[in-house]
Amino acid sequence: MPGINLLYVYQISDPEKKFLVCDLNNGRTFEDPLILFEIPEYDIHSVNEQGLYAIGGNLDIGTLVKSYKWGIFPWFPYKECEEADWYCPRRRYVIFPDKIHVSHSLRNILNKDKYIFTINQSFREVIHQCRMVNGRDNHEQAWLSDTIEKLFIELYELGYAKSVEVWEGEELVGGFYGFWYNGVFQGDSMFSLRPSASQIGLILLCRHGSIEAKKIKFIDTQFETPTFKRLGGEYISYQKYRELMDL
């Protein structure tokens, strides 16, 4: 395969299983993930359901912009890993704004008009809260490092990263941030200081329907969680993901 190196990675739980990932060291950059998906030995469903795509490479602005445009994102415990792990799940869990499901309890909260919703008004505070809330940064598996926080602030300044804020009066009580490209909001992390505050933000973003006057095609939640499932999330193929992103 031109322009790409491949290596085997062993599953810790089963050292007999192997799967192929990209080796991004030695100046390598991202290639089309479909190239790797088409290799028979690359079996992410039976070996690595979360979709590990690549290891290594530079964790910098240029790499992040290129990777997120393919739907590839860094995710690794920075206190334990010397190199970055990059993920690109073959099946994507997404929320379409017109399919958002609002439970009875969340509808009651919304009807009280207790919270104020904004977009991109307090990006730095949102990402810092996502990193630090409830002692997250003290966990061994913490992945939102100081480096990634600083890089996303740069992405925000370049117009690629956006935040959603939920306010109670003048207090920021919830929110989330992510990468914004071609009408797709790729969510990275969220936090709540009040019950369901971040969910309220997600619902209001879907109801708002646009970011900076550009229609939201869908919200990429990266992985399925019980919360996203309750909100109406669904799986689409990576091929469909690319079509919707106009890649």
Side-chain angles (χ1 to χ4, degrees):
M1 293 172 58
I4 198 167
N5 284 341
L6 298 175
L7 73 159
Y8 282 105
V9 175
Y10 292 82
Q11 287 290 86
I12 296 175
S13 60
D14 187 347
E16 296 302 318
K17 290 185 177 181
K18 303 176 181 179
F19 58 98
L20 289 165
V21 298
C22 300
D23 180 0
L24 299 183
N25 292 315
N26 302 316
R28 297 295 183 182
T29 55
F30 290 100
E31 298 290 335
D32 184 344
L34 281 181
I35 296 174
L36 193 58
F37 288 166
E38 291 169 357
I39 299 175
E41 294 90 344
Y42 187 74
D43 187 357
I44 64 172
H45 288 299
S46 63
V47 180
N48 182 37
E49 295 180 357
Q50 292 178 323
L52 178 61
Y53 170 74
I55 293 176
N58 297 320
L59 193 60
D60 56 27
I61 286 295
T63 303
L64 285 179
V65 170
K66 187 169 185 180
S67 70
Y68 272 95
K69 284 183 177 180
W70 284 116
I72 303 167
F73 53 91
W75 187 48
F76 60 99
Y78 74 89
K79 297 178 183 180
E80 299 179 0
C81 295
E82 294 183 2
E83 296 183 298
D85 293 342
W86 304 82
Y87 285 79
C88 186
R90 184 180 291 183
R91 293 197 308 156
R92 315 300 295 230
Y93 206 71
V94 305
I95 295 175
F96 292 99
D98 60 349
K99 294 182 179 180
I100 189 78
H101 177 263
V102 184
S103 67
H104 179 72
S105 59
L106 289 174
R107 190 176 296 112
N108 284 340
I109 295 174
L110 287 164
N111 289 339
K112 293 178 181 178
D113 292 325
K114 184 178 181 180
Y115 298 117
I116 299 171
F117 159 81
T118 59
I119 297 175
N120 238 32
Q121 296 300 304
S122 191
F123 185 91
R124 290 173 177 82
E125 189 174 353
V126 167
I127 191 171
H128 194 67
Q129 285 279 20
C130 287
R131 178 185 170 195
M132 296 296 183
V133 70
N134 298 326
R136 287 179 181 176
D137 195 52
N138 295 325
H139 298 165
E140 290 185 2
Q141 295 298 309
W143 61 269
L144 185 46
S145 64
D146 181 63
T147 297
I148 292 180
E149 181 177 351
K150 289 178 180 178
L151 286 170
F152 256 92
I153 289 173
E154 289 187 53
L155 289 173
Y156 158 73
E157 292 171 346
L158 291 171
Y160 284 111
K162 307 296 180 184
S163 62
V164 168
E165 302 90 17
V166 178
W167 307 84
E168 186 175 16
E170 296 184 356
E171 182 183 0
L172 181 66
V173 296
F176 50 92
Y177 75 93
F179 190 85
W180 171 245
Y181 180 70
N182 270 8
V184 176
F185 189 97
Q186 300 178 49
D188 218 54
S189 186
M190 58 195 340
F191 81 97
S192 294
L193 299 181
R194 301 287 187 276
S196 304
S198 59
Q199 294 180 59
I200 293 298
L202 188 57
I203 292 167
L204 292 175
L205 176 64
C206 288
R207 288 184 174 180
H208 191 266
S210 66
I211 294 178
E212 297 173 349
K214 187 167 185 177
K215 183 179 178 181
I216 301 170
K217 297 176 182 176
F218 61 87
I219 297 166
D220 178 6
T221 69
Q222 298 181 343
F223 300 115
E224 178 185 350
T225 69
T227 294
F228 295 141
K229 187 173 183 178
R230 286 193 298 270
L231 288 169
E234 61 186 271
Y235 281 107
I236 61 173
S237 68
Y238 180 65
Q239 287 86 343
K240 182 66 175 179
Y241 182 95
R242 289 159 55 94
E243 290 173 10
L244 293 172
M245 286 187 74
D246 297 324
L247 291 177

